[in-house]
Each structure stands twice: as structure tokens, then as C-alpha cells.
Amino acid sequence: MAGPSGKKEKVDKKEKAAKAGPSAGGGGGKKKKDVKKETGLGLSVKKDENFGEWYSEVCKHEMIEYYDISGCYILRPWSMAIWEIMQTFFDAEIKKMKVENCYFPLFVSPGVLEKEKDHIEGFAPEVAWVTKSGKSDLEVPIAIRPTSETVMYPYYSKWIRGHRDLPLKLNQWCNVVRWEFSNPTPFIRSREFLWQEGHTAFASKEEADKEVLQILELYRRIYEEYLAVPVVKGMKSENEKFAGGLYTTSVEAFIANTGRGVQGATSHCLGQNFAKMFEINFENEKGETEMVWQNSWAYSTRTIGVMIMTHGDDKGLILPPKVASVQVVVIPVPYKDANTQGIFDACTATVSALSEAGIRAEEDLRDNYSPGWKYSNWEMKGVPLRIEIGPRDLENNQVRTVRRDNGVKEDIPRGSLVEHVKELLEKIQQNMYEVAKQKREACVEEIRTWDEFINALNKKKLILAPWCDEEEVERDVKARTKGETGAAKTLCSPFEQPELPEGTLCFASGKPAKKWTYWGRSY
Amino acid sequence: MAGPSGKKEKVDKKEKAAKAGPSAGGGGGKKKKDVKKETGLGLSVKKDENFGEWYSEVCKHEMIEYYDISGCYILRPWSMAIWEIMQTFFDAEIKKMKVENCYFPLFVSPGVLEKEKDHIEGFAPEVAWVTKSGKSDLEVPIAIRPTSETVMYPYYSKWIRGHRDLPLKLNQWCNVVRWEFSNPTPFIRSREFLWQEGHTAFASKEEADKEVLQILELYRRIYEEYLAVPVVKGMKSENEKFAGGLYTTSVEAFIANTGRGVQGATSHCLGQNFAKMFEINFENEKGETEMVWQNSWAYSTRTIGVMIMTHGDDKGLILPPKVASVQVVVIPVPYKDANTQGIFDACTATVSALSEAGIRAEEDLRDNYSPGWKYSNWEMKGVPLRIEIGPRDLENNQVRTVRRDNGVKEDIPRGSLVEHVKELLEKIQQNMYEVAKQKREACVEEIRTWDEFINALNKKKLILAPWCDEEEVERDVKARTKGETGAAKTLCSPFEQPELPEGTLCFASGKPAKKWTYWGRSY
């Protein structure tokens, strides 16, 4: 129990008042205009009713700030901390694989950028060009990297001479720019974003193939273990693979509310195509010249957007404990005549105990907000677990925990605080993943005919269909499903293939099906 | 002892042969052309004879690679690891100070960029402009951030309302672009560089003043404790302070070989100037509107260049142990008939023991290079400590250590390997700092007259002079000393001021001197 029983209602009234407007909540020196929005209380739309608006509002508390250049966003500390936690995990994992970090320039000269034809065709429309410095025109316009294959590979050619120089495994954490004109969306589709890009070269295809999957497994872990977002590992179609590469594997997520797939991260085998263009050769042990086999792989701040879309609810964000910069918020629930100082001290002691145990905990002792206002505020920001301490709790030497994921309340003795909280955080992490997985699985529809396909697409399903795996057929499906909300396309052919009985036909072409493939609209 | 005594000469001969050319060294599949340069053995110039060429050569082993766009450089893993170690230190320290990381866009719209007049005058000539995306012209050209004051502060105005929103302390790790046309130099002056930039806002000047010095102390620690480079903390002159700020503090290093000062890092108090331009106001506890006080502070990859210039010698780089990604390299010195496998196993065991103790150690077991070649190669790369293990060492259950900083050799029993190596690394770190400090102090010349000033300047001294602290006088000194190698200017007025007897006159104007100030040419 948070407050003394019988008095609880009063707190709730205060909470309501706070939600309704600024008068009760204080406002701490806030300017009068727009106070409702700024107090951070209450979303103006529901997730199921207007997903786009809901997403934008949720992001504003306080993951991003919209910027005065369209398609660019400010990553505020609340989201940056999530990025840093993922980065720490991934960076350590790739270092175990002997990948080394480096930094290549932001700028590419046009000659180099255009060297690989398929590649530049894929990126050319989105390339931003610097043409001036100060008031002078540059002699030659210079491109800003949309990705760094063409930035890096001329130097791979220089550094790789003999088989002992292989494998070469480099990674960089950086910003890239793709000046897209389709709907910008925070995290999901922005003109500048942060990512890591790994670029590796091997003596044999076998080694390259193996690494592609090792990296893909790390991407799966980021989504499933850290962000609690279920993903499907699979192979991209010829149409959807990386421009200039041999094949592309990806982890694909699915946003149930919009019925859209979202490419979570990609791990490409580039084959020897770039090696040929950039003359990346080596002398093998027999003294013969061979071309290297290359991979490139990346994940970006898009991950954060997928997490927000997957877990958020009508109260705001829900952050998985493993990536939340604040895992537990401790809120005093004082009551007149009660031992306010004792309550405050208990809050501080609770935060200390949790912090010492490595749990990221904070107290909210602000005196200009009611407990109810604080509950809503921290719910909006998605903190996984709230601890309330009121007079009754003090008396009983307990604290009250409230889970953000399912609202479940529990009174726990202060003596076993740390163990209980650790356990709760693990349960929340696990539950968020399970709930998201069930939600996604409820969206999967296995179809066999064109009519079933269209029907499922209209119902915003994640469609699993038998396919002939022909480029022309995918293009045809795109053309036939083109509409206001975009066309359907392949998301991936999952590595875990259901059985494909002999004689199964492609849903779109009627030709013999070669594999099961996920289809849908996508981000 | 590395090899069996009496046979040592043979190894040395091998070493010489290796140094002379590719024939003895093997070359591991290297292409024939340019083999000398590529084997990484031997610099073609001496530090004292042609410092510029020496620096460029040393950087190429393997800190940077020159890039096909002038003024841009590739940071290879060998330098990136140093950057990451400094970053880990600094990031943890500022987090203790409750600074939070964020990420603001690379792009600035012209209106915002130009809002603070003095500021934009300082940066305008160096701003790179994006005017096209794909084949289309942008409606309005967009600038690439040369620094982020004007990028960030419109949002500070939005976020800061009441005194409870203060202090606001943000930092970002990012790239910035300054399209300079003066001599580009790796790390020291490049068109794109990596840095952190902190931007903080306070309710009072006192808080801002205090933070300026706290951050400056962290910068001192990066230079002195990590990079083993002595610096002077001080105040920049009015001419040299940050464009648009109130005052600038800095840590200043000095490169004895060129007689040039180099601004190591800066911590600015911006006062209320930006607050005024960007309307960053808050309601204080009395309900009155006040303007915030702001700071900004930054250090960049320039730090690495200063370190290279300070410590390197005619054999190549010398890395301080605290920032070296490889602190100890272990090299087997096999000899025919000797127990080669035993030697190799001892090397591996040595690396394991050191690694387990948290020392960054690597073995070099390549069979296509002689020990002598390896010695030179790792000396070139600046690894602080080399361990050699030969047949005699195996017999006596010892290893031989060779310090990179002073060449001192020592045989140490394997039983106390870890303690000895730890101690040696600390000694190397300390000694590198002491040597650099002595070198710098030998360059300081205290002068009182114009003739002494010119004389000292010609002798490439770090000049400490009594100064009247007038802007006009500094401009005059610059004009009178202008030459091919640049003009002399103030570096900083050190916080630790020598006594200034009453009646002391300014060396340049003859007016009463107000303070002691360091002068010199600078990078």
C-alpha cells in the first residue's frame, strides 16, 4: 500500500487533477503556454486509434526532439542511454571476434562513390552533396557517406597484399546521411542516423559465410535479449538485397498495429563484387593472386524506434529493463502528519541499496509535484519498475512495487529488496518479450493463393507464403498491391522453413514454390 | 638475454639485414613495389632534421592513412584504440558530474547558424555547405556543424523554463567539419575531426565558473596522466578566446622541435551572450525571469597528434602505456637446435599471464619475420614494452624486457612476471612524462624586452613575457612577427603566475604589465 488506507482516494483525486491541468501539478516555473503538453502527462491519442500520431507523441517524451531541418532529430539523453547500452554489448562482442574499430572520413569523392555501378544506383538519389565552403565553390562536389563501402575499399586494396593480411575486420561507429524524401519518422527513417558498420575481408567464402551468421546472431540478441523484440532471421530476396552485394541476411521485426514489417538490421555477404571493382587481391599460400571475399553489416538507431513501436501503450513508453537508463524509480508518498523525513530517508536508502547492487535506480523527491503526477510522468517515460514508499510502508518495513509492463503491484519486505527487484526486472524483461512474441505470432497468416494473400494483406497480417523465388514475380506483386500505404514485398525467407510439400505452388505465379517467404508492407 | 650468448651477433646481423631491405624479412606475400616502405622498417628522416616529414611518416605507422580528399584522414585501429581509452576515462568522469550524453544533428540551417554574430564571424569561412541531394538542388543550403552551439541552443531555450530545469548538462561525441585551407596536418589540423563537446547551462555565474575549471582539470589529466604530455593551464587572451564567448581557458602544450605551442583543449564560459541571442531564460525561485549562464568545452583527436609529436623518436612512435592498445609485445627468439616449441609455449603462457592480470599483451609468433624485424616493427609502432624469450631465457625460467622509452633491458624471473611488468609500465608512463616535462621546461624563456622576445622567438622558445593585456598590442605583435612560419601570438596566461614586481613593463608596448603570458608561434 502506498498511502494510509482510506486516504488513498485523496491521492487519486490529486492525481486526476494533475492530469487535467497544471494547477495541481505545480509546473516548476514552466511558462504558461502549452503547459499541458509540457507537463508530460497524458497522450492525446491512443496507440490503436492513430498509430502515427501516438508514435510521434511518445517519442517526444523524452526520446527525441523534432529539429528544424525535416528528417533530422535530436537524440535526447533518454534514448542516447539506450543506444550506449546496446553499443557496449555489441562492441564487446565484436572485439571478441577480433574486429577492430577505426574511423573513415564522412566525405567521399564522386569518382570513388560511383565506382561500383549497382551500389551507386541504389544510393545515388539519396546522396547529399557538399559544393561550397565558406563563400567559395569547391572544385569538385563531395558526397557525404550514405554507407562506407566505397569510402573504405580503396584502402583495403592497399592494406591487403598477402594471405597473412587476412582476415581484415574493421568496424566504425558513426553517422551516415541518406537524404530521403519519403515520410521521415523518428528513429525509423531519418536523414541522418547513427549506426555501426562492419567491413570485413576474408581469404575464403566459407569464412565470410560463417561471419555473416555470427553477426546476424548478435543482431538477434540485441533485439530479443536487450530490446525484448522478437525477430525472424532470414534471407532477403534478390530484389531486396544490398545493392552490389552477393546476398543479404536480416533480422525482421513486425509492427502489429500498422501491419508493417521492419528490417531490423542486415548482415551482407558482398561476395567478390567490390573486390573486383576495387582490386582487393591477395597472394595465397601458393603464390597465386586471388580476390578477397567481403562482408558488411550494420545496425542503427532504428532499433530504438522498433522497440518503442513494439512495447509502448496508451500511457507512453515501456522500456525493457536491460536497456532502460533508469530501471527503478523510487517515489515518496508522504501524507500530512506522517513522518515525511522518514519516508524520504527510506527512499534514499532504497536507491542506495539498489545502486550498490548494480541496479540503475533513481529517486524523485521533487516537492512541487504530487505522487500521482510523478507516477504518470515516469510511466510516460517507460521506467520498468516503480517503488512507492508511504507511511504504511515505513511502518511495515516494506516497499510497494508497481510494474510498468502489466501494472501488477506487490508489497515487498525491505529486507529482501535487492533480490526481489532483480527478480522482478528479469520477469519484466521476459514478459515483455513473451507478450510481444505472442502478439506477433497472432499476426502471422500462412496463405497459399492470391486471394488469401490480398485478404491477409488487408487485415495487416504478416504473410507467410510459398514462393517461386523469381525477381519478376516479386516486382509483379509490388505492382499489383501498390496503394496509398505502399506496396507489399518480401520481408525475408526465414532460415527456419516450415515443410514445403512437393507440388506446392507459388501464391503469385502459380509456378512450383521453392520456399516459404514472409511478405507484407514495410517501413 | 634473448639468444644463446655468442650467437647474439648472428641475430643482430639478421636484424640489420632485415632493416636494410625485404630479402631477410620475408614480406609475407607483399607485392614487390614499395616493399621498403611497406615493411614498416626505418624512417627515411630524423625527427630533428625534418620534423614535418618525420611526423607524417610516423603517423603512417599505423595511426592514420592519408585519404584521397585533402585534409581528411583515416583513423586506423592503432589510433582509434587510443581515442577509445581516453573516451572511456572522460565519459565516466563527466557522468559522475551528472553530464548526460545526447546527439544533435550534423546539419544546421543558415538562419540558426548566423544568429550569434561574433560566433559566425569566427567560423563562417570554414563552413561546408550542402546544396544538393541526388540531382536536386536543396531549397536552402544547409551547413555542416563546425561546432554545435547554434545547433543546440534553440532547444535549450525550449527545455529550460524554471530554476528546477537547471543545471542542464549535455555532451555529445561526434564529428565536426571545418573546411580549413591552411596546412592540413594529421590529428592536429584536419577538415573533419572527432571530439566531444559539452554544453551546459546554469542559474548562476559561480556554478558556470566552477565547472569550467573542473572540466579543464579533466583535460589536464588526459594530457598529463594518459598521454604523458605536460600542459599549462591558463586563460586565453581576448583575441584568442572562443568567438562569442565570455572567456576561454585552455591547456596548452608545446612542441619543442618546432617551437610551436599547441592548444590542447578548451573549456569556455560563454557568459550570457548566447542566452541572450537564443532567449534561454528561466524563472528563478522568486518568480523573476533571468538568463542562464553557459559553458561549452571540447577536446578532440588533436590530443593524439600532440602525443605523437611529443614522444616519438627516430625509431618511430612511443606510446604511453596507459593509452597503448598493446602495452607489451612478446617475441620468441628461437635458434636452430633450440626448443622452438618450448619458446613459443613460453610466449603464449606469458601473454596469458599478463592478460589475466589486465595488461594488454600480444605475442608475435609470425614465422615469416626474423626477431630483429619484429623488434623494429613494434618499436616503430611504439609498443611501450617488449618481452623477448629465447633458449637461455627458457633455461633460466626468465624473460628479457626491453623498454621502448629508454631502451633499458632487464632479465626478470617468470615467477614475478606480472608484478615486474606492472611496475615497469608505471615507470615508463612516469618517465615519459618527466622527460617531456624537462624538455619543455628547457624551452621556456622568460623575457622582458622586445629584443629578447624576438631573439627567443628565433630560438623557437616558449616565451613567458610580462604583458599589458591589451588586444591592440597583441594584434601589433602579430603584425610585427608575421613571417613564412606564421606570426607569434599569446598562447595563454598561466593560472600559476610568477611574481610580477611593481613597475614591470609590457615587453611589447612599454605600458605597465598586468600579467605574465606565454607567447609563441602555434599550430
Side-chain angles (χ1 to χ4, degrees):
Chain A
M1 275 299 274
S5 69
K7 302 294 181 186
K8 184 70 168 43
E9 220 209 320
K10 200 151 186 180
V11 173
D12 286 348
K13 264 185 195 161
K14 234 178 154 182
E15 188 175 343
K16 258 184 210 160
K19 280 182 180 176
S23 53
K30 309 269 173 193
K31 285 168 189 170
K32 282 281 145 62
K33 53 170 188 176
D34 293 336
V35 172
K36 182 168 184 306
K37 272 203 164 171
E38 282 165 23
T39 53
L41 285 171
L43 295 170
S44 68
V45 289
K46 290 189 189 304
K47 190 177 186 184
D48 284 341
E49 288 170 6
N50 186 340
F51 184 81
E53 185 56 33
W54 170 86
Y55 179 69
S56 171
E57 271 196 38
V58 167
C59 282
K60 285 179 194 163
H61 294 275
E62 299 167 353
M63 304 292 265
I64 66 122
E65 179 76 54
Y66 281 72
Y67 190 65
D68 77 332
I69 295 175
S70 168
C72 294
Y73 305 94
I74 298 162
L75 302 189
R76 300 185 68 178
W78 202 242
S79 58
M80 201 60 198
I82 295 172
W83 182 244
E84 289 182 317
I85 288 167
M86 290 191 282
Q87 190 172 17
T88 301
F89 161 73
F90 190 78
D91 201 66
E93 289 296 323
I94 61 174
K95 278 177 176 152
K96 284 184 208 161
M97 293 169 67
K98 306 279 181 200
V99 176
E100 294 181 299
N101 283 333
C102 62
Y103 187 75
F104 279 74
L106 175 69
F107 298 117
V108 206
S109 58
V112 172
L113 183 69
E114 288 155 10
K115 201 147 186 173
E116 209 298 309
K117 203 177 130 284
D118 290 339
H119 183 66
I120 186 59
E121 270 181 18
F123 287 102
E126 302 171 0
V127 170
W129 292 92
V130 176
T131 64
K132 288 178 68 173
S133 73
K135 292 184 174 178
S136 324
D137 289 330
L138 297 188
E139 273 180 43
V140 180
I142 290 173
I144 300 182
R145 63 179 165 220
T147 178
S148 299
E149 280 75 9
T150 57
V151 174
M152 292 182 169
Y153 299 165
Y155 301 90
Y156 279 47
S157 164
K158 188 174 174 186
W159 295 332
I160 297 169
R161 295 300 165 92
H163 60 92
R164 287 190 183 82
D165 300 323
L166 294 174
L168 178 62
K169 301 185 183 185
L170 298 181
N171 176 69
Q172 67 182 9
W173 296 94
C174 66
N175 55 345
V176 287
V177 171
R178 298 180 186 176
W179 206 263
E180 306 199 50
F181 287 90
S182 52
N183 279 344
T185 307
F187 299 114
I188 299 291
R189 188 173 295 278
S190 56
R191 284 176 170 174
E192 181 195 5
F193 55 87
L194 301 182
W195 75 352
Q196 61 66 223
E197 50 179 325
H199 295 267
T200 53
F202 298 90
S204 70
K205 182 165 186 296
E206 291 64 40
E207 289 168 275
D209 286 339
K210 191 180 157 202
E211 193 209 52
V212 164
L213 295 183
Q214 281 178 320
I215 293 294
L216 195 68
E217 172 61 10
L218 293 179
Y219 293 151
R220 183 197 67 75
R221 290 182 62 193
I222 286 177
Y223 274 99
E224 299 198 335
E225 294 178 12
Y226 281 77
L227 302 173
V229 171
V231 289
V232 174
K233 280 188 194 176
M235 185 73 75
K236 294 300 247 187
S237 70
E238 277 299 301
N239 278 308
E240 294 297 322
K241 75 176 187 185
F242 183 69
L246 180 61
Y247 65 84
T248 291
T249 68
S250 71
V251 290
E252 299 282 330
F254 186 75
I255 308 303
N257 296 71
T258 56
R260 284 178 190 273
V262 52
Q263 180 176 291
T266 45
S267 182
H268 315 291
C269 179
L270 304 177
Q272 296 186 305
N273 189 28
F274 288 88
K276 199 169 161 187
M277 292 303 146
F278 289 96
E279 298 180 55
I280 314 177
N281 305 317
F282 69 101
E283 204 174 277
N284 69 17
E285 295 187 19
K286 293 177 211 151
E288 303 153 347
T289 300
E290 283 191 65
M291 273 191 287
V292 300
W293 291 86
Q294 288 179 276
N295 294 338
S296 73
W297 28 270
Y299 82 93
S300 75
T301 37
R302 165 175 275 202
T303 44
I304 299 172
V306 176
M307 177 202 76
I308 297 171
M309 288 183 167
T310 301
H311 300 301
D313 65 13
D314 293 340
K315 288 179 171 178
L317 292 167
I318 306 182
L319 302 180
K322 277 190 90 163
V323 295
S325 62
V326 178
Q327 297 174 309
V328 182
V329 64
V330 180
I331 297 174
V333 189
Y335 189 72
K336 65 171 180 182
D337 304 334
N339 176 3
T340 302
Q341 191 54 49
I343 290 173
F344 274 51
D345 290 348
C347 287
T348 304
T350 299
V351 168
S352 296
L354 294 175
S355 302
E356 271 169 36
I359 295 164
R360 298 186 288 271
E362 264 187 29
E363 59 194 348
D364 183 351
L365 304 183
R366 289 177 290 180
D367 59 5
N368 58 324
Y369 292 108
S370 69
W373 190 94
K374 290 178 187 175
Y375 298 166
S376 298
N377 187 238
W378 291 103
E379 278 170 359
M380 179 75 81
K381 293 178 69 170
V383 170
L385 192 68
R386 176 170 85 230
I387 288 181
E388 306 169 359
I389 302 179
R392 172 71 59 95
D393 302 305
L394 204 61
E395 223 168 80
N396 296 344
N397 203 26
Q398 67 185 28
V399 302
R400 159 156 288 195
T401 57
V402 185
R403 286 171 61 162
R404 175 66 181 90
D405 61 328
N406 60 13
V408 169
K409 297 175 183 185
E410 208 181 332
D411 292 329
I412 61 174
R414 285 178 64 187
S416 58
L417 174 79
V418 168
E419 305 91 276
H420 259 94
V421 169
K422 272 194 179 165
E423 203 179 292
L424 270 173
L425 292 175
E426 273 166 34
K427 275 189 191 163
I428 294 170
Q429 182 81 28
Q430 192 56 34
N431 182 57
M432 286 179 71
Y433 175 74
E434 294 299 341
V435 166
K437 195 166 180 190
Q438 281 162 23
K439 213 158 142 193
R440 188 202 56 190
E441 275 163 13
C443 291
V444 176
E445 195 157 312
E446 213 176 283
I447 62 97
R448 289 174 185 257
T449 67
W450 180 256
D451 285 350
E452 284 172 8
F453 178 78
I454 291 297
N455 190 29
L457 194 63
N458 289 339
K459 288 190 302 182
K460 298 184 176 176
K461 292 295 182 179
L462 172 55
I463 304 169
L464 187 59
W467 182 41
C468 62
D469 198 12
E470 287 180 16
E471 287 184 63
E472 194 45 56
V473 173
E474 179 169 7
R475 272 195 288 270
D476 187 53
V477 172
K478 274 187 188 173
R480 289 161 75 188
T481 55
K482 212 168 177 177
E484 267 176 39
T485 53
K489 62 180 188 181
T490 58
L491 304 173
C492 75
S493 298
F495 290 145
E496 279 187 25
Q497 285 276 320
E499 209 200 320
L500 187 72
E502 211 173 322
T504 306
L505 302 179
C506 170
F507 77 101
S509 69
K511 295 180 192 176
K514 288 200 185 128
K515 50 167 68 161
W516 288 96
T517 298
Y518 282 108
W519 294 74
R521 294 200 169 87
S522 82
Y523 280 94
Chain B
M1 275 294 276
S5 69
K7 304 294 182 185
K8 184 69 171 38
E9 220 212 318
K10 199 149 185 183
V11 172
D12 285 349
K13 265 187 194 158
K14 235 179 151 181
E15 190 175 341
K16 259 185 211 162
K19 280 184 180 175
S23 54
K30 309 269 173 192
K31 284 168 190 172
K32 283 282 144 63
K33 51 168 189 177
D34 294 336
V35 172
K36 183 169 182 304
K37 270 206 163 165
E38 283 166 19
T39 53
L41 286 171
L43 296 169
S44 69
V45 290
K46 289 189 191 302
K47 189 177 186 184
D48 284 341
E49 288 171 3
N50 184 341
F51 184 80
E53 185 57 33
W54 170 87
Y55 179 69
S56 170
E57 269 195 39
V58 167
C59 283
K60 285 180 196 164
H61 294 276
E62 303 167 354
M63 304 292 265
I64 66 122
E65 178 77 51
Y66 280 73
Y67 190 64
D68 76 332
I69 295 174
S70 168
C72 294
Y73 305 94
I74 297 162
L75 303 188
R76 300 186 68 179
W78 201 242
S79 59
M80 200 60 199
I82 295 172
W83 182 244
E84 290 182 314
I85 288 167
M86 290 190 283
Q87 188 172 19
T88 300
F89 161 73
F90 189 79
D91 201 67
E93 289 298 321
I94 60 174
K95 277 176 178 156
K96 284 183 209 162
M97 292 169 68
K98 305 277 181 203
V99 176
E100 294 181 299
N101 283 332
C102 62
Y103 187 76
F104 279 74
L106 175 69
F107 298 117
V108 205
S109 58
V112 173
L113 183 69
E114 287 154 12
K115 200 148 187 172
E116 209 298 307
K117 203 178 130 284
D118 289 339
H119 182 68
I120 187 58
E121 270 180 18
F123 286 102
E126 301 171 0
V127 171
W129 292 92
V130 175
T131 64
K132 288 178 68 172
S133 73
K135 293 186 172 177
S136 326
D137 288 331
L138 298 187
E139 273 179 45
V140 180
I142 290 173
I144 300 181
R145 62 178 166 222
T147 176
S148 300
E149 280 75 11
T150 56
V151 174
M152 292 183 169
Y153 297 166
Y155 300 91
Y156 279 45
S157 165
K158 187 173 176 186
W159 296 331
I160 297 169
R161 296 298 166 93
H163 60 91
R164 286 190 183 82
D165 301 323
L166 295 173
L168 177 63
K169 301 184 182 186
L170 298 181
N171 175 69
Q172 66 181 10
W173 296 94
C174 65
N175 54 343
V176 287
V177 171
R178 298 180 186 175
W179 208 262
E180 307 199 48
F181 288 90
S182 53
N183 278 344
T185 307
F187 299 114
I188 299 291
R189 189 173 293 277
S190 55
R191 286 177 168 171
E192 181 195 3
F193 55 86
L194 300 183
W195 76 353
Q196 62 64 224
E197 49 179 325
H199 295 267
T200 53
F202 299 90
S204 71
K205 182 165 187 297
E206 291 65 37
E207 290 169 274
D209 286 338
K210 190 178 157 205
E211 193 209 52
V212 163
L213 295 183
Q214 281 178 321
I215 294 292
L216 196 68
E217 171 61 10
L218 293 180
Y219 293 152
R220 184 198 66 76
R221 291 181 62 191
I222 285 176
Y223 273 99
E224 299 198 335
E225 293 179 13
Y226 281 77
L227 301 173
V229 171
V231 289
V232 174
K233 280 188 194 178
M235 186 73 76
K236 295 300 249 186
S237 71
E238 278 298 302
N239 278 308
E240 293 295 323
K241 76 176 186 185
F242 183 69
L246 180 62
Y247 65 85
T248 291
T249 69
S250 70
V251 289
E252 300 280 331
F254 186 76
I255 308 302
N257 296 72
T258 56
R260 282 178 191 273
V262 54
Q263 180 175 291
T266 47
S267 183
H268 315 291
C269 179
L270 304 177
Q272 296 185 305
N273 190 28
F274 287 89
K276 199 169 162 189
M277 293 302 144
F278 290 97
E279 298 180 56
I280 315 178
N281 304 317
F282 69 100
E283 205 175 275
N284 69 17
E285 294 186 17
K286 295 176 210 150
E288 303 154 348
T289 299
E290 283 192 65
M291 271 191 288
V292 299
W293 292 86
Q294 290 179 276
N295 293 339
S296 72
W297 27 270
Y299 81 94
S300 75
T301 36
R302 165 177 275 202
T303 43
I304 300 171
V306 177
M307 175 203 77
I308 296 171
M309 288 182 168
T310 301
H311 301 301
D313 67 11
D314 293 340
K315 287 181 172 178
L317 293 166
I318 307 183
L319 303 180
K322 277 190 92 163
V323 295
S325 61
V326 178
Q327 297 173 309
V328 182
V329 64
V330 180
I331 297 174
V333 189
Y335 190 72
K336 66 172 177 178
D337 305 332
N339 177 2
T340 303
Q341 190 55 48
I343 291 172
F344 274 51
D345 290 347
C347 288
T348 303
T350 300
V351 168
S352 297
L354 295 174
S355 302
E356 271 168 35
I359 296 163
R360 297 186 288 272
E362 262 186 32
E363 58 193 348
D364 183 352
L365 304 183
R366 289 177 288 181
D367 58 6
N368 59 322
Y369 293 108
S370 69
W373 189 95
K374 292 177 187 174
Y375 298 167
S376 299
N377 186 237
W378 291 102
E379 278 171 1
M380 178 76 80
K381 292 177 70 170
V383 169
L385 193 68
R386 178 170 82 231
I387 288 181
E388 305 168 359
I389 303 179
R392 173 68 61 94
D393 303 305
L394 203 61
E395 222 169 78
N396 296 344
N397 203 26
Q398 67 185 26
V399 302
R400 157 157 289 193
T401 58
V402 185
R403 285 171 62 163
R404 175 66 182 90
D405 63 327
N406 61 12
V408 168
K409 297 176 184 186
E410 209 181 331
D411 292 327
I412 61 174
R414 284 178 64 185
S416 57
L417 174 80
V418 168
E419 305 91 275
H420 258 95
V421 168
K422 272 193 179 163
E423 202 179 292
L424 271 173
L425 292 174
E426 273 165 33
K427 275 188 192 166
I428 294 170
Q429 183 81 29
Q430 193 54 34
N431 182 58
M432 286 179 71
Y433 174 74
E434 293 300 341
V435 167
K437 196 166 182 192
Q438 282 163 23
K439 215 158 140 194
R440 189 204 53 192
E441 275 163 13
C443 292
V444 176
E445 195 157 312
E446 214 177 283
I447 65 97
R448 287 170 189 261
T449 67
W450 180 258
D451 285 351
E452 284 173 8
F453 178 77
I454 292 297
N455 190 30
L457 194 63
N458 290 339
K459 287 191 301 180
K460 299 184 176 175
K461 293 293 182 182
L462 171 56
I463 304 169
L464 187 59
W467 181 40
C468 62
D469 197 12
E470 290 180 15
E471 287 185 63
E472 195 44 56
V473 174
E474 181 170 6
R475 272 194 288 270
D476 187 52
V477 172
K478 273 188 189 174
R480 289 161 76 189
T481 55
K482 211 169 177 176
E484 266 176 38
T485 52
K489 61 180 188 182
T490 59
L491 305 173
C492 74
S493 297
F495 291 143
E496 280 187 25
Q497 285 276 319
E499 210 200 319
L500 187 70
E502 212 173 321
T504 306
L505 301 178
C506 170
F507 76 101
S509 69
K511 297 179 190 176
K514 290 201 183 127
K515 48 164 70 157
W516 289 95
T517 298
Y518 282 109
W519 293 74
R521 295 199 168 89
S522 81
Y523 279 97

